[in-house]
Amino acid sequence: MRVALTIAGSDPSGGAGIQADLKTFHQHRVYGAAALTLLTVQNSTGVSRVDCLDPALVILQMEAVYSDLPVAATKTGALGNAEIIRAVARAVRGPLVVDPVMVSKHGAPLLAPDAVSALRDDLFPVAALVTPNLPEAEALTGLAIADRAAMLEAARRIPARAVLLKGGHLAGEAADLLWSDGQARWYPGERYDTPHTHGTGCTYSAAITALLAHGLDLPEAVSRAKQYISGAIRTNPGLGRGSGPVNHFQVPELSGIEEGS
């Protein structure tokens, strides 16, 4: 049984954060462990409160998991502040996928303004992959990103081993860019006219993490995860009065992965 660890915040409505990550791990036949970083009060209509946990408590959760389970891959989501980011960077083990969550789907801040430098300087250097959306990439690079050329330049400027720049905020196409080993790989995608996209970034990065835990290489893991999140958006269950969740029951592409692995 493969094991993956998510280090992220809690969404009580189940669409994003720890809850989305664990559902996605399970759907990809990966045993999910979790270390909480912050608590939110939110649902599909908005976020009314965010409370960060003590960094020492975050680390104790991580160490409890790493000391007992064979974690094959780890991901981070909302980390809240610079102190938690630096603590996680020191304690994380093995392949790491960083989803640099800065704001919620509703625009509520999930990262302190002074913590962006901690992401760049402390966490990105220990990551196997960083998965920003376009607004996050703009905050990280200072670039205005409106087309593929700007996406490529932004990906080159982000100080990480590999960058998956998600193009969902582009006008028209919804292509994602994987910049890795000096190579650009584009993953085109269909755009769906739906408000139900809560937790897409969490779910996408969790799918990549699960597939890396299974031993797939990065380009293939991104390709299959892109298929999964696209289907999850397309078949969303229509829950909630606002930006509802995607369909975590979407069937992923697991061919070539041993049953029970």
Side-chain angles (χ1 to χ4, degrees), residues 7-9 36-39 50-59 76-90 98-103 109-120 122-123:
I7 306 165
L36 280 170
T37 58
L38 55 86
L39 301 176
V50 178
D51 286 5
C52 291
L53 300 185
D54 186 327
L57 182 56
V58 177
I59 299 312
T76 61
L79 297 177
N81 59 45
E83 291 76 17
I84 292 177
I85 291 170
R86 294 189 181 106
V88 168
R90 291 191 298 269
V98 173
D99 183 10
V101 178
M102 297 182 185
V103 298
L110 297 175
L111 184 70
D114 63 353
V116 175
S117 60
L119 278 176
R120 289 176 52 93
D122 296 275
L123 195 59

Side-chain angles (χ1 to χ4, degrees), residues 7 17 23 25 42 46 50 87 92 105 109 113 115 117-118 135 164-165 203 215 256:
I7 306 165
K23 292 172 187 177
F25 288 168
Q42 67 172 298
V50 178
V92 73
K105 180 67 67 178
S117 60
L164 177 65
L165 189 46
T203 302

Side-chain angles (χ1 to χ4, degrees), residues 206-229:
I208 294 169
T209 304
L211 292 163
L212 291 176
H214 277 301
L216 272 64
D217 64 24
L218 183 56
E220 180 64 16
V222 170
S223 177
R224 295 193 188 196
K226 175 77 170 176
Q227 284 183 274
Y228 175 74
I229 189 59

Side-chain angles (χ1 to χ4, degrees), residues 127-144:
L129 177 68
V130 177
T131 66
N133 59 30
L134 296 193
E136 290 161 351
E138 289 178 338
L140 290 164
T141 65
L143 292 173

